[in-house]
Amino acid sequence: MSDDEIPGLAKTSRAEIGDRFDAIVVPEIDVLYRVARSISYNASDAEDLVQDTLLRAFRGLGRFDGRYPRAWLLTIMRNAHSNQHRRQRPTLLRHDTTPEVDRRNPPAPSAEDVATASMAAAWVADALDHLSPRLRQVAELVDVDGLTYDETAALLDVPAGTVTSRLHRARRRMRGRLERHPDFRSEH
Amino acid sequence: MRPSDVVDMFRRKGGTRCVEVGRRIQGFLDGGLDADAAAKVAQHLDACRRCGLSADDYRRLKSALNEAAAPLPAEPLQRLRAFAGELAANGTRYE
């Protein structure tokens, strides 16, 4: 085996793996970080989680068939997240009961942030806050982070039908709450 | 909801009942229905004011949630991209 071959992956050169990594994994870093922030306790944990996911993806790239890269990466992230929390604390995926990083209520927002935040955004944050953690997580992953149902299912390790039913329930509840705001329908 | 509203939900408008559309409206708005089912829902929404308003609410909600995504901080992303670059260039060190 030449120096350029990855151990255990005969005929796969280092350059080839590097190119695949650039083509398949690197374009997903923003999405991975956004999702990691949704499921981590803090920004530092989120960054560690993405780093671990990237490393695992690199190691597994030779065995990846190239289909649905985002779902593949989210599955890797799920496993990395489980390991991270097995070491630190109970996992929040699947059996979560506690909300994690609250991205819509960041600590100490600037006066400018407060002034420019629209009422609609505040109502939506309020509606999200009143969901159970399980419903809120799916609403955030699909409607805020932009994952598909299948990608969310891969991340949470639940059937796509479960994602659909949780998401629809979440939206129905949020709509019910937003209906109480008399200006919701005229705001947009 | 008044009793007459409940009765109304079981009437066909545009060929479909409100209760059926209520079950499919979110799939419709997410583009998850096949063409035939989507056409039926669209027809109903044109004919039924209450379901049309409901669809508008969900559209507003989805749009507001989409806008709720906070911009990602630049520094961690730069560090992650640098780490990815290092992996792509010299990844065997991490084997």
Side-chain angles (χ1 to χ4, degrees):
Chain A
M1 187 170 72
S2 80
D3 287 348
D4 270 357
E5 288 174 358
I6 306 286
L9 294 172
K11 294 182 185 174
T12 305
S13 73
R14 177 188 296 176
E16 199 178 322
I17 285 286
D19 288 348
R20 281 194 87 200
F21 190 80
D22 278 338
I24 292 172
V25 179
V26 170
E28 301 293 336
I29 288 177
D30 283 23
V31 171
L32 292 175
Y33 185 51
R34 189 174 288 285
V35 171
R37 284 163 58 88
S38 285
I39 62 174
S40 298
Y41 277 103
N42 56 49
S44 168
D45 278 0
E47 191 174 340
D48 287 350
L49 178 58
V50 177
Q51 203 172 80
D52 195 6
T53 303
L54 293 173
L55 188 55
R56 287 165 182 244
F58 180 83
R59 289 174 177 157
L61 202 51
R63 295 183 299 278
F64 175 51
D65 64 9
R67 295 189 309 153
Y68 309 114
R70 187 174 292 175
W72 173 66
L73 288 165
L74 291 169
T75 303
I76 292 173
M77 178 175 276
R78 181 187 76 218
N79 293 332
H81 183 269
S82 295
N83 279 7
Q84 196 180 52
H85 286 271
R86 204 170 293 140
R87 289 194 304 267
Q88 297 171 354
R89 55 177 79 90
T91 182
L92 290 165
L93 285 178
R94 224 176 161 177
H95 306 295
D96 51 299
T97 54
T98 311
E100 304 189 355
V101 173
D102 189 343
R103 292 165 302 150
R104 266 152 296 282
N105 291 298
S110 71
E112 192 183 358
D113 287 343
V114 172
T116 55
S118 75
M119 286 304 289
W123 296 337
V124 165
D126 173 70
L128 274 170
D129 284 345
H130 282 83
L131 293 175
S132 69
R134 197 167 280 199
L135 296 188
R136 175 182 170 152
Q137 187 175 51
V138 172
E140 287 189 345
L141 290 169
V142 176
D143 283 338
V144 181
D145 296 339
L147 298 189
T148 65
Y149 291 14
D150 286 340
E151 289 163 356
T152 306
L155 177 71
L156 301 180
D157 196 21
V158 298
T162 302
V163 171
T164 307
S165 65
R166 283 184 195 173
L167 178 66
H168 291 188
R169 227 178 317 146
R171 288 179 183 159
R172 275 198 300 275
R173 288 187 189 172
M174 283 192 283
R175 181 184 166 226
R177 191 161 182 86
L178 290 170
E179 276 179 332
R180 296 181 205 168
H181 295 286
D183 295 334
F184 175 64
R185 286 180 173 145
S186 58
E187 182 73 14
H188 285 256
Chain B
M1 189 180 281
R2 294 168 304 177
S4 60
D5 290 336
V6 176
V7 173
D8 201 36
M9 287 177 67
F10 288 89
R11 292 211 179 100
R12 287 180 188 275
K13 292 171 193 164
T16 317
R17 293 183 177 92
C18 296
V19 284
E20 293 162 24
V21 169
R23 281 197 292 268
R24 294 181 158 194
I25 194 161
Q26 297 197 47
F28 171 77
L29 295 173
D30 288 339
L33 298 187
D34 63 47
D36 186 44
K40 283 179 182 165
V41 173
Q43 214 172 2
H44 180 91
L45 293 180
D46 281 343
C48 177
R49 183 170 178 277
R50 186 173 48 221
C51 290
L53 284 174
S54 164
D56 288 344
D57 279 352
Y58 283 123
R59 285 193 190 100
R60 276 189 209 99
L61 178 61
K62 275 165 59 91
S63 157
L65 284 167
N66 187 252
E67 287 166 13
L72 293 172
E75 278 185 27
L77 275 175
Q78 279 167 3
R79 283 194 294 271
L80 289 168
R81 289 201 187 100
F83 178 70
E86 166 68 11
L87 269 179
N90 303 302
T92 47
R93 284 187 200 160
Y94 297 89
E95 288 296 313

